[in-house]
Amino acid sequence: MTMSDPLGDMLTRIRNGQRAHKTAVDSPASRLRANVLDVLQREGFIRGYSESELKKGISELRIELKYHDGEPVIREIRRVSKPGRRVYSKIKDLAPVYNGLGISILSTPQGVMSDGEARAANVGGEVLCMVF
């Protein structure tokens, strides 16, 4: 069966893994998912991730979750732009997440980046998700 929202599936796996206090979760690999995980790792929301090949042509991402004093670092992770309703934003119109404590992850013409990096590059794009 095909998946209608692969990125939403990965975010849900992260959310469920942290609620169950798992050290790592697995997700099917794709370039968009890896780019989003790069941003999460740069911003300090996850420890890291690695890609492994299960069979020829089928890869999997192992995401290492991060905790601080027993509490998950990611308090809220939410998909903004969905397959049924895409959300695009100019950089001037992009509001800060929780007064700058969280980040938005955008897909821009210059690649997937956080809202801070997008502001520095002065580019807007599709708002993929919000993390706090």
PDB file of all heavy atoms in Angstrom, residues 44-83:
ATOM      1  N   GLY A  44      19.735  20.830  16.810  1.00  0.00           N
ATOM      2  CA  GLY A  44      19.877  20.194  18.111  1.00  0.00           C
ATOM      3  C   GLY A  44      18.647  19.475  18.631  1.00  0.00           C
ATOM      4  O   GLY A  44      18.537  19.226  19.829  1.00  0.00           O
ATOM      5  N   PHE A  45      17.720  19.106  17.760  1.00  0.00           N
ATOM      6  CA  PHE A  45      16.511  18.422  18.204  1.00  0.00           C
ATOM      7  C   PHE A  45      16.663  16.905  18.222  1.00  0.00           C
ATOM      8  O   PHE A  45      15.917  16.222  18.906  1.00  0.00           O
ATOM      9  CB  PHE A  45      15.312  18.811  17.334  1.00  0.00           C
ATOM     10  CG  PHE A  45      14.818  20.210  17.596  1.00  0.00           C
ATOM     11  CD1 PHE A  45      15.100  21.243  16.715  1.00  0.00           C
ATOM     12  CD2 PHE A  45      14.086  20.493  18.729  1.00  0.00           C
ATOM     13  CE1 PHE A  45      14.645  22.524  16.956  1.00  0.00           C
ATOM     14  CE2 PHE A  45      13.630  21.770  18.985  1.00  0.00           C
ATOM     15  CZ  PHE A  45      13.922  22.792  18.091  1.00  0.00           C
ATOM     16  N   ILE A  46      17.594  16.356  17.429  1.00  0.00           N
ATOM     17  CA  ILE A  46      17.879  14.920  17.457  1.00  0.00           C
ATOM     18  C   ILE A  46      19.390  14.732  17.575  1.00  0.00           C
ATOM     19  O   ILE A  46      20.165  15.637  17.257  1.00  0.00           O
ATOM     20  CB  ILE A  46      17.352  14.184  16.197  1.00  0.00           C
ATOM     21  CG1 ILE A  46      18.004  14.712  14.926  1.00  0.00           C
ATOM     22  CG2 ILE A  46      15.843  14.246  16.118  1.00  0.00           C
ATOM     23  CD1 ILE A  46      17.685  13.896  13.680  1.00  0.00           C
ATOM     24  N   ARG A  47      19.813  13.570  18.061  1.00  0.00           N
ATOM     25  CA  ARG A  47      21.250  13.273  18.166  1.00  0.00           C
ATOM     26  C   ARG A  47      21.878  13.101  16.795  1.00  0.00           C
ATOM     27  O   ARG A  47      22.974  13.553  16.546  1.00  0.00           O
ATOM     28  CB  ARG A  47      21.472  12.002  18.969  1.00  0.00           C
ATOM     29  CG  ARG A  47      21.263  12.146  20.436  1.00  0.00           C
ATOM     30  CD  ARG A  47      21.820  10.918  21.147  1.00  0.00           C
ATOM     31  NE  ARG A  47      21.462  10.935  22.540  1.00  0.00           N
ATOM     32  CZ  ARG A  47      22.052  11.689  23.450  1.00  0.00           C
ATOM     33  NH1 ARG A  47      23.017  12.474  23.091  1.00  0.00           N
ATOM     34  NH2 ARG A  47      21.663  11.648  24.699  1.00  0.00           N
ATOM     35  N   GLY A  48      21.182  12.399  15.927  1.00  0.00           N
ATOM     36  CA  GLY A  48      21.699  12.137  14.592  1.00  0.00           C
ATOM     37  C   GLY A  48      20.866  11.082  13.902  1.00  0.00           C
ATOM     38  O   GLY A  48      19.847  10.635  14.419  1.00  0.00           O
ATOM     39  N   TYR A  49      21.321  10.691  12.737  1.00  0.00           N
ATOM     40  CA  TYR A  49      20.634   9.634  12.003  1.00  0.00           C
ATOM     41  C   TYR A  49      21.642   8.943  11.104  1.00  0.00           C
ATOM     42  O   TYR A  49      22.710   9.482  10.811  1.00  0.00           O
ATOM     43  CB  TYR A  49      19.463  10.194  11.180  1.00  0.00           C
ATOM     44  CG  TYR A  49      19.871  11.000   9.974  1.00  0.00           C
ATOM     45  CD1 TYR A  49      19.928  10.414   8.715  1.00  0.00           C
ATOM     46  CD2 TYR A  49      20.214  12.333  10.086  1.00  0.00           C
ATOM     47  CE1 TYR A  49      20.310  11.138   7.613  1.00  0.00           C
ATOM     48  CE2 TYR A  49      20.595  13.067   8.995  1.00  0.00           C
ATOM     49  CZ  TYR A  49      20.638  12.464   7.755  1.00  0.00           C
ATOM     50  OH  TYR A  49      21.023  13.188   6.652  1.00  0.00           O
ATOM     51  N   SER A  50      21.312   7.729  10.726  1.00  0.00           N
ATOM     52  CA  SER A  50      22.164   6.981   9.804  1.00  0.00           C
ATOM     53  C   SER A  50      21.277   6.252   8.810  1.00  0.00           C
ATOM     54  O   SER A  50      20.129   5.917   9.104  1.00  0.00           O
ATOM     55  CB  SER A  50      23.036   5.988  10.565  1.00  0.00           C
ATOM     56  OG  SER A  50      22.227   5.070  11.259  1.00  0.00           O
ATOM     57  N   GLU A  51      21.828   6.025   7.629  1.00  0.00           N
ATOM     58  CA  GLU A  51      21.075   5.337   6.583  1.00  0.00           C
ATOM     59  C   GLU A  51      21.692   3.972   6.345  1.00  0.00           C
ATOM     60  O   GLU A  51      22.913   3.840   6.252  1.00  0.00           O
ATOM     61  CB  GLU A  51      21.109   6.161   5.290  1.00  0.00           C
ATOM     62  CG  GLU A  51      20.225   5.606   4.210  1.00  0.00           C
ATOM     63  CD  GLU A  51      20.094   6.549   3.031  1.00  0.00           C
ATOM     64  OE1 GLU A  51      20.416   7.739   3.153  1.00  0.00           O
ATOM     65  OE2 GLU A  51      19.654   6.067   1.971  1.00  0.00           O
ATOM     66  N   SER A  52      20.854   2.958   6.299  1.00  0.00           N
ATOM     67  CA  SER A  52      21.340   1.610   6.026  1.00  0.00           C
ATOM     68  C   SER A  52      20.482   0.992   4.928  1.00  0.00           C
ATOM     69  O   SER A  52      19.298   1.290   4.808  1.00  0.00           O
ATOM     70  CB  SER A  52      21.280   0.749   7.285  1.00  0.00           C
ATOM     71  OG  SER A  52      19.951   0.628   7.739  1.00  0.00           O
ATOM     72  N   GLU A  53      21.107   0.126   4.133  1.00  0.00           N
ATOM     73  CA  GLU A  53      20.407  -0.504   3.033  1.00  0.00           C
ATOM     74  C   GLU A  53      19.917  -1.882   3.472  1.00  0.00           C
ATOM     75  O   GLU A  53      20.703  -2.734   3.870  1.00  0.00           O
ATOM     76  CB  GLU A  53      21.332  -0.623   1.821  1.00  0.00           C
ATOM     77  CG  GLU A  53      20.602  -0.995   0.570  1.00  0.00           C
ATOM     78  CD  GLU A  53      21.426  -0.746  -0.676  1.00  0.00           C
ATOM     79  OE1 GLU A  53      22.407   0.010  -0.610  1.00  0.00           O
ATOM     80  OE2 GLU A  53      21.079  -1.330  -1.709  1.00  0.00           O
ATOM     81  N   LEU A  54      18.597  -2.067   3.455  1.00  0.00           N
ATOM     82  CA  LEU A  54      18.005  -3.346   3.844  1.00  0.00           C
ATOM     83  C   LEU A  54      18.174  -4.378   2.730  1.00  0.00           C
ATOM     84  O   LEU A  54      18.646  -5.482   2.961  1.00  0.00           O
ATOM     85  CB  LEU A  54      16.522  -3.172   4.161  1.00  0.00           C
ATOM     86  CG  LEU A  54      16.179  -2.255   5.331  1.00  0.00           C
ATOM     87  CD1 LEU A  54      14.682  -2.103   5.458  1.00  0.00           C
ATOM     88  CD2 LEU A  54      16.772  -2.789   6.612  1.00  0.00           C
ATOM     89  N   LYS A  55      17.737  -4.006   1.543  1.00  0.00           N
ATOM     90  CA  LYS A  55      17.888  -4.825   0.342  1.00  0.00           C
ATOM     91  C   LYS A  55      18.386  -3.894  -0.751  1.00  0.00           C
ATOM     92  O   LYS A  55      18.456  -2.684  -0.551  1.00  0.00           O
ATOM     93  CB  LYS A  55      16.542  -5.411  -0.092  1.00  0.00           C
ATOM     94  CG  LYS A  55      15.924  -6.387   0.848  1.00  0.00           C
ATOM     95  CD  LYS A  55      14.694  -6.987   0.204  1.00  0.00           C
ATOM     96  CE  LYS A  55      13.513  -6.816   1.117  1.00  0.00           C
ATOM     97  NZ  LYS A  55      12.264  -7.265   0.573  1.00  0.00           N
ATOM     98  N   LYS A  56      18.677  -4.443  -1.882  1.00  0.00           N
ATOM     99  CA  LYS A  56      19.119  -3.598  -2.989  1.00  0.00           C
ATOM    100  C   LYS A  56      17.989  -2.650  -3.384  1.00  0.00           C
ATOM    101  O   LYS A  56      16.896  -3.085  -3.733  1.00  0.00           O
ATOM    102  CB  LYS A  56      19.510  -4.475  -4.171  1.00  0.00           C
ATOM    103  CG  LYS A  56      20.097  -3.705  -5.319  1.00  0.00           C
ATOM    104  CD  LYS A  56      20.589  -4.665  -6.368  1.00  0.00           C
ATOM    105  CE  LYS A  56      20.881  -4.017  -7.667  1.00  0.00           C
ATOM    106  NZ  LYS A  56      21.870  -3.138  -7.850  1.00  0.00           N
ATOM    107  N   GLY A  57      18.247  -1.350  -3.258  1.00  0.00           N
ATOM    108  CA  GLY A  57      17.257  -0.344  -3.626  1.00  0.00           C
ATOM    109  C   GLY A  57      16.304   0.058  -2.515  1.00  0.00           C
ATOM    110  O   GLY A  57      15.499   0.963  -2.702  1.00  0.00           O
ATOM    111  N   ILE A  58      16.375  -0.593  -1.346  1.00  0.00           N
ATOM    112  CA  ILE A  58      15.486  -0.253  -0.235  1.00  0.00           C
ATOM    113  C   ILE A  58      16.340   0.143   0.961  1.00  0.00           C
ATOM    114  O   ILE A  58      17.067  -0.680   1.519  1.00  0.00           O
ATOM    115  CB  ILE A  58      14.563  -1.426   0.139  1.00  0.00           C
ATOM    116  CG1 ILE A  58      13.670  -1.777  -1.049  1.00  0.00           C
ATOM    117  CG2 ILE A  58      13.712  -1.082   1.360  1.00  0.00           C
ATOM    118  CD1 ILE A  58      12.809  -2.986  -0.838  1.00  0.00           C
ATOM    119  N   SER A  59      16.260   1.427   1.336  1.00  0.00           N
ATOM    120  CA  SER A  59      17.060   1.936   2.450  1.00  0.00           C
ATOM    121  C   SER A  59      16.168   2.341   3.605  1.00  0.00           C
ATOM    122  O   SER A  59      14.969   2.590   3.434  1.00  0.00           O
ATOM    123  CB  SER A  59      17.882   3.146   2.005  1.00  0.00           C
ATOM    124  OG  SER A  59      18.800   2.770   1.019  1.00  0.00           O
ATOM    125  N   GLU A  60      16.775   2.431   4.772  1.00  0.00           N
ATOM    126  CA  GLU A  60      16.053   2.782   5.985  1.00  0.00           C
ATOM    127  C   GLU A  60      16.884   3.790   6.781  1.00  0.00           C
ATOM    128  O   GLU A  60      18.105   3.702   6.815  1.00  0.00           O
ATOM    129  CB  GLU A  60      15.820   1.518   6.808  1.00  0.00           C
ATOM    130  CG  GLU A  60      14.958   1.720   8.022  1.00  0.00           C
ATOM    131  CD  GLU A  60      14.676   0.404   8.712  1.00  0.00           C
ATOM    132  OE1 GLU A  60      15.627  -0.192   9.239  1.00  0.00           O
ATOM    133  OE2 GLU A  60      13.508  -0.002   8.732  1.00  0.00           O
ATOM    134  N   LEU A  61      16.201   4.741   7.417  1.00  0.00           N
ATOM    135  CA  LEU A  61      16.860   5.733   8.264  1.00  0.00           C
ATOM    136  C   LEU A  61      16.661   5.335   9.718  1.00  0.00           C
ATOM    137  O   LEU A  61      15.541   5.038  10.132  1.00  0.00           O
ATOM    138  CB  LEU A  61      16.257   7.122   8.036  1.00  0.00           C
ATOM    139  CG  LEU A  61      16.453   7.738   6.663  1.00  0.00           C
ATOM    140  CD1 LEU A  61      15.581   8.969   6.519  1.00  0.00           C
ATOM    141  CD2 LEU A  61      17.896   8.077   6.432  1.00  0.00           C
ATOM    142  N   ARG A  62      17.736   5.320  10.488  1.00  0.00           N
ATOM    143  CA  ARG A  62      17.653   5.097  11.933  1.00  0.00           C
ATOM    144  C   ARG A  62      17.882   6.455  12.588  1.00  0.00           C
ATOM    145  O   ARG A  62      18.964   7.029  12.473  1.00  0.00           O
ATOM    146  CB  ARG A  62      18.689   4.093  12.401  1.00  0.00           C
ATOM    147  CG  ARG A  62      18.693   3.931  13.923  1.00  0.00           C
ATOM    148  CD  ARG A  62      19.325   2.635  14.294  1.00  0.00           C
ATOM    149  NE  ARG A  62      18.321   1.586  14.190  1.00  0.00           N
ATOM    150  CZ  ARG A  62      17.698   1.074  15.261  1.00  0.00           C
ATOM    151  NH1 ARG A  62      17.978   1.483  16.453  1.00  0.00           N
ATOM    152  NH2 ARG A  62      16.795   0.127  15.115  1.00  0.00           N
ATOM    153  N   ILE A  63      16.858   6.950  13.275  1.00  0.00           N
ATOM    154  CA  ILE A  63      16.888   8.285  13.878  1.00  0.00           C
ATOM    155  C   ILE A  63      17.143   8.140  15.367  1.00  0.00           C
ATOM    156  O   ILE A  63      16.363   7.496  16.074  1.00  0.00           O
ATOM    157  CB  ILE A  63      15.548   9.016  13.632  1.00  0.00           C
ATOM    158  CG1 ILE A  63      15.223   9.030  12.140  1.00  0.00           C
ATOM    159  CG2 ILE A  63      15.588  10.422  14.196  1.00  0.00           C
ATOM    160  CD1 ILE A  63      13.777   9.264  11.828  1.00  0.00           C
ATOM    161  N   GLU A  64      18.231   8.745  15.852  1.00  0.00           N
ATOM    162  CA  GLU A  64      18.565   8.696  17.276  1.00  0.00           C
ATOM    163  C   GLU A  64      17.919   9.885  17.971  1.00  0.00           C
ATOM    164  O   GLU A  64      18.236  11.036  17.679  1.00  0.00           O
ATOM    165  CB  GLU A  64      20.083   8.744  17.461  1.00  0.00           C
ATOM    166  CG  GLU A  64      20.799   7.557  16.854  1.00  0.00           C
ATOM    167  CD  GLU A  64      22.295   7.708  16.937  1.00  0.00           C
ATOM    168  OE1 GLU A  64      22.789   8.323  17.904  1.00  0.00           O
ATOM    169  OE2 GLU A  64      22.973   7.216  16.021  1.00  0.00           O
ATOM    170  N   LEU A  65      17.002   9.599  18.880  1.00  0.00           N
ATOM    171  CA  LEU A  65      16.250  10.639  19.574  1.00  0.00           C
ATOM    172  C   LEU A  65      17.072  11.228  20.711  1.00  0.00           C
ATOM    173  O   LEU A  65      17.963  10.590  21.251  1.00  0.00           O
ATOM    174  CB  LEU A  65      14.938  10.059  20.097  1.00  0.00           C
ATOM    175  CG  LEU A  65      14.048   9.420  19.027  1.00  0.00           C
ATOM    176  CD1 LEU A  65      12.834   8.789  19.660  1.00  0.00           C
ATOM    177  CD2 LEU A  65      13.646  10.431  17.982  1.00  0.00           C
ATOM    178  N   LYS A  66      16.757  12.456  21.074  1.00  0.00           N
ATOM    179  CA  LYS A  66      17.528  13.182  22.086  1.00  0.00           C
ATOM    180  C   LYS A  66      16.633  13.526  23.271  1.00  0.00           C
ATOM    181  O   LYS A  66      15.483  13.938  23.095  1.00  0.00           O
ATOM    182  CB  LYS A  66      18.079  14.465  21.454  1.00  0.00           C
ATOM    183  CG  LYS A  66      19.088  15.198  22.262  1.00  0.00           C
ATOM    184  CD  LYS A  66      19.655  16.337  21.434  1.00  0.00           C
ATOM    185  CE  LYS A  66      20.707  17.086  22.176  1.00  0.00           C
ATOM    186  NZ  LYS A  66      21.244  18.194  21.373  1.00  0.00           N
ATOM    187  N   TYR A  67      17.176  13.340  24.474  1.00  0.00           N
ATOM    188  CA  TYR A  67      16.449  13.629  25.713  1.00  0.00           C
ATOM    189  C   TYR A  67      17.303  14.535  26.586  1.00  0.00           C
ATOM    190  O   TYR A  67      18.532  14.502  26.530  1.00  0.00           O
ATOM    191  CB  TYR A  67      16.124  12.338  26.471  1.00  0.00           C
ATOM    192  CG  TYR A  67      15.228  11.412  25.695  1.00  0.00           C
ATOM    193  CD1 TYR A  67      15.748  10.422  24.875  1.00  0.00           C
ATOM    194  CD2 TYR A  67      13.852  11.537  25.781  1.00  0.00           C
ATOM    195  CE1 TYR A  67      14.928   9.582  24.150  1.00  0.00           C
ATOM    196  CE2 TYR A  67      13.019  10.695  25.059  1.00  0.00           C
ATOM    197  CZ  TYR A  67      13.556   9.730  24.252  1.00  0.00           C
ATOM    198  OH  TYR A  67      12.737   8.901  23.535  1.00  0.00           O
ATOM    199  N   HIS A  68      16.656  15.351  27.421  1.00  0.00           N
ATOM    200  CA  HIS A  68      17.342  16.218  28.381  1.00  0.00           C
ATOM    201  C   HIS A  68      16.673  16.025  29.738  1.00  0.00           C
ATOM    202  O   HIS A  68      15.483  16.313  29.888  1.00  0.00           O
ATOM    203  CB  HIS A  68      17.258  17.681  27.937  1.00  0.00           C
ATOM    204  CG  HIS A  68      17.932  18.623  28.877  1.00  0.00           C
ATOM    205  ND1 HIS A  68      19.292  18.686  28.993  1.00  0.00           N
ATOM    206  CD2 HIS A  68      17.428  19.517  29.753  1.00  0.00           C
ATOM    207  CE1 HIS A  68      19.596  19.598  29.896  1.00  0.00           C
ATOM    208  NE2 HIS A  68      18.473  20.112  30.370  1.00  0.00           N
ATOM    209  N   ASP A  69      17.408  15.507  30.709  1.00  0.00           N
ATOM    210  CA  ASP A  69      16.881  15.198  32.044  1.00  0.00           C
ATOM    211  C   ASP A  69      15.671  14.272  31.969  1.00  0.00           C
ATOM    212  O   ASP A  69      14.688  14.437  32.688  1.00  0.00           O
ATOM    213  CB  ASP A  69      16.503  16.478  32.801  1.00  0.00           C
ATOM    214  CG  ASP A  69      17.724  17.320  33.151  1.00  0.00           C
ATOM    215  OD1 ASP A  69      18.828  16.743  33.250  1.00  0.00           O
ATOM    216  OD2 ASP A  69      17.569  18.546  33.320  1.00  0.00           O
ATOM    217  N   GLY A  70      15.717  13.306  31.075  1.00  0.00           N
ATOM    218  CA  GLY A  70      14.642  12.327  30.944  1.00  0.00           C
ATOM    219  C   GLY A  70      13.453  12.786  30.125  1.00  0.00           C
ATOM    220  O   GLY A  70      12.554  12.012  29.843  1.00  0.00           O
ATOM    221  N   GLU A  71      13.410  14.057  29.747  1.00  0.00           N
ATOM    222  CA  GLU A  71      12.313  14.601  28.946  1.00  0.00           C
ATOM    223  C   GLU A  71      12.758  14.734  27.492  1.00  0.00           C
ATOM    224  O   GLU A  71      13.897  15.102  27.226  1.00  0.00           O
ATOM    225  CB  GLU A  71      11.890  15.988  29.465  1.00  0.00           C
ATOM    226  CG  GLU A  71      11.228  15.958  30.820  1.00  0.00           C
ATOM    227  CD  GLU A  71       9.909  15.225  30.803  1.00  0.00           C
ATOM    228  OE1 GLU A  71       9.097  15.462  29.882  1.00  0.00           O
ATOM    229  OE2 GLU A  71       9.691  14.391  31.695  1.00  0.00           O
ATOM    230  N   PRO A  72      11.858  14.459  26.542  1.00  0.00           N
ATOM    231  CA  PRO A  72      12.220  14.610  25.130  1.00  0.00           C
ATOM    232  C   PRO A  72      12.563  16.066  24.799  1.00  0.00           C
ATOM    233  O   PRO A  72      11.932  16.997  25.313  1.00  0.00           O
ATOM    234  CB  PRO A  72      10.964  14.180  24.379  1.00  0.00           C
ATOM    235  CG  PRO A  72      10.118  13.469  25.357  1.00  0.00           C
ATOM    236  CD  PRO A  72      10.506  13.946  26.714  1.00  0.00           C
ATOM    237  N   VAL A  73      13.575  16.262  23.965  1.00  0.00           N
ATOM    238  CA  VAL A  73      13.942  17.607  23.536  1.00  0.00           C
ATOM    239  C   VAL A  73      12.842  18.190  22.660  1.00  0.00           C
ATOM    240  O   VAL A  73      12.509  19.367  22.773  1.00  0.00           O
ATOM    241  CB  VAL A  73      15.299  17.580  22.788  1.00  0.00           C
ATOM    242  CG1 VAL A  73      15.599  18.920  22.155  1.00  0.00           C
ATOM    243  CG2 VAL A  73      16.413  17.191  23.746  1.00  0.00           C
ATOM    244  N   ILE A  74      12.240  17.357  21.820  1.00  0.00           N
ATOM    245  CA  ILE A  74      11.132  17.811  20.967  1.00  0.00           C
ATOM    246  C   ILE A  74       9.842  17.719  21.770  1.00  0.00           C
ATOM    247  O   ILE A  74       9.374  16.629  22.090  1.00  0.00           O
ATOM    248  CB  ILE A  74      11.023  16.954  19.691  1.00  0.00           C
ATOM    249  CG1 ILE A  74      12.290  17.073  18.858  1.00  0.00           C
ATOM    250  CG2 ILE A  74       9.809  17.379  18.871  1.00  0.00           C
ATOM    251  CD1 ILE A  74      12.328  16.154  17.656  1.00  0.00           C
ATOM    252  N   ARG A  75       9.287  18.864  22.106  1.00  0.00           N
ATOM    253  CA  ARG A  75       8.022  18.875  22.847  1.00  0.00           C
ATOM    254  C   ARG A  75       6.838  18.756  21.904  1.00  0.00           C
ATOM    255  O   ARG A  75       5.816  18.172  22.238  1.00  0.00           O
ATOM    256  CB  ARG A  75       7.887  20.163  23.649  1.00  0.00           C
ATOM    257  CG  ARG A  75       8.900  20.253  24.750  1.00  0.00           C
ATOM    258  CD  ARG A  75       8.678  21.485  25.556  1.00  0.00           C
ATOM    259  NE  ARG A  75       9.760  21.614  26.532  1.00  0.00           N
ATOM    260  CZ  ARG A  75       9.697  22.396  27.568  1.00  0.00           C
ATOM    261  NH1 ARG A  75       8.624  23.117  27.782  1.00  0.00           N
ATOM    262  NH2 ARG A  75      10.696  22.469  28.397  1.00  0.00           N
ATOM    263  N   GLU A  76       6.966  19.374  20.734  1.00  0.00           N
ATOM    264  CA  GLU A  76       5.877  19.339  19.763  1.00  0.00           C
ATOM    265  C   GLU A  76       6.494  19.323  18.363  1.00  0.00           C
ATOM    266  O   GLU A  76       7.404  20.087  18.072  1.00  0.00           O
ATOM    267  CB  GLU A  76       4.996  20.579  19.924  1.00  0.00           C
ATOM    268  CG  GLU A  76       3.828  20.636  18.995  1.00  0.00           C
ATOM    269  CD  GLU A  76       3.010  21.903  19.170  1.00  0.00           C
ATOM    270  OE1 GLU A  76       3.085  22.529  20.236  1.00  0.00           O
ATOM    271  OE2 GLU A  76       2.287  22.244  18.233  1.00  0.00           O
ATOM    272  N   ILE A  77       6.023  18.427  17.526  1.00  0.00           N
ATOM    273  CA  ILE A  77       6.445  18.382  16.127  1.00  0.00           C
ATOM    274  C   ILE A  77       5.179  18.204  15.314  1.00  0.00           C
ATOM    275  O   ILE A  77       4.408  17.278  15.548  1.00  0.00           O
ATOM    276  CB  ILE A  77       7.506  17.285  15.886  1.00  0.00           C
ATOM    277  CG1 ILE A  77       8.055  17.372  14.481  1.00  0.00           C
ATOM    278  CG2 ILE A  77       6.988  15.912  16.214  1.00  0.00           C
ATOM    279  CD1 ILE A  77       9.347  16.600  14.301  1.00  0.00           C
ATOM    280  N   ARG A  78       4.938  19.139  14.388  1.00  0.00           N
ATOM    281  CA  ARG A  78       3.640  19.183  13.711  1.00  0.00           C
ATOM    282  C   ARG A  78       3.836  19.462  12.226  1.00  0.00           C
ATOM    283  O   ARG A  78       4.626  20.318  11.847  1.00  0.00           O
ATOM    284  CB  ARG A  78       2.807  20.294  14.341  1.00  0.00           C
ATOM    285  CG  ARG A  78       1.425  20.435  13.816  1.00  0.00           C
ATOM    286  CD  ARG A  78       0.593  21.360  14.696  1.00  0.00           C
ATOM    287  NE  ARG A  78       1.226  22.619  14.998  1.00  0.00           N
ATOM    288  CZ  ARG A  78       0.933  23.759  14.356  1.00  0.00           C
ATOM    289  NH1 ARG A  78       0.042  23.786  13.414  1.00  0.00           N
ATOM    290  NH2 ARG A  78       1.534  24.880  14.691  1.00  0.00           N
ATOM    291  N   ARG A  79       3.131  18.732  11.401  1.00  0.00           N
ATOM    292  CA  ARG A  79       3.165  18.916   9.952  1.00  0.00           C
ATOM    293  C   ARG A  79       2.302  20.121   9.624  1.00  0.00           C
ATOM    294  O   ARG A  79       1.157  20.219  10.082  1.00  0.00           O
ATOM    295  CB  ARG A  79       2.614  17.658   9.284  1.00  0.00           C
ATOM    296  CG  ARG A  79       2.659  17.678   7.774  1.00  0.00           C
ATOM    297  CD  ARG A  79       4.004  17.227   7.281  1.00  0.00           C
ATOM    298  NE  ARG A  79       3.925  16.681   5.928  1.00  0.00           N
ATOM    299  CZ  ARG A  79       4.309  17.343   4.853  1.00  0.00           C
ATOM    300  NH1 ARG A  79       4.800  18.549   4.956  1.00  0.00           N
ATOM    301  NH2 ARG A  79       4.223  16.779   3.664  1.00  0.00           N
ATOM    302  N   VAL A  80       2.803  21.057   8.825  1.00  0.00           N
ATOM    303  CA  VAL A  80       2.036  22.245   8.451  1.00  0.00           C
ATOM    304  C   VAL A  80       1.460  22.090   7.050  1.00  0.00           C
ATOM    305  O   VAL A  80       0.259  22.131   6.848  1.00  0.00           O
ATOM    306  CB  VAL A  80       2.913  23.524   8.537  1.00  0.00           C
ATOM    307  CG1 VAL A  80       2.152  24.736   8.047  1.00  0.00           C
ATOM    308  CG2 VAL A  80       3.394  23.736   9.957  1.00  0.00           C
ATOM    309  N   SER A  81       2.321  21.893   6.072  1.00  0.00           N
ATOM    310  CA  SER A  81       1.891  21.729   4.695  1.00  0.00           C
ATOM    311  C   SER A  81       1.593  20.258   4.458  1.00  0.00           C
ATOM    312  O   SER A  81       2.455  19.403   4.616  1.00  0.00           O
ATOM    313  CB  SER A  81       2.998  22.209   3.764  1.00  0.00           C
ATOM    314  OG  SER A  81       2.578  22.178   2.435  1.00  0.00           O
ATOM    315  N   LYS A  82       0.372  19.962   4.102  1.00  0.00           N
ATOM    316  CA  LYS A  82      -0.058  18.572   3.930  1.00  0.00           C
ATOM    317  C   LYS A  82      -0.349  18.315   2.458  1.00  0.00           C
ATOM    318  O   LYS A  82      -0.503  19.261   1.687  1.00  0.00           O
ATOM    319  CB  LYS A  82      -1.310  18.315   4.772  1.00  0.00           C
ATOM    320  CG  LYS A  82      -1.048  18.527   6.253  1.00  0.00           C
ATOM    321  CD  LYS A  82      -2.288  18.366   7.075  1.00  0.00           C
ATOM    322  CE  LYS A  82      -1.931  18.630   8.530  1.00  0.00           C
ATOM    323  NZ  LYS A  82      -3.060  18.678   9.400  1.00  0.00           N
ATOM    324  N   PRO A  83      -0.448  17.048   2.050  1.00  0.00           N
ATOM    325  CA  PRO A  83      -0.731  16.776   0.640  1.00  0.00           C
ATOM    326  C   PRO A  83      -2.045  17.392   0.157  1.00  0.00           C
ATOM    327  O   PRO A  83      -2.160  17.783  -0.992  1.00  0.00           O
ATOM    328  CB  PRO A  83      -0.805  15.249   0.574  1.00  0.00           C
ATOM    329  CG  PRO A  83       0.031  14.792   1.702  1.00  0.00           C
ATOM    330  CD  PRO A  83      -0.149  15.814   2.784  1.00  0.00           C
TER     331      PRO A  83
END
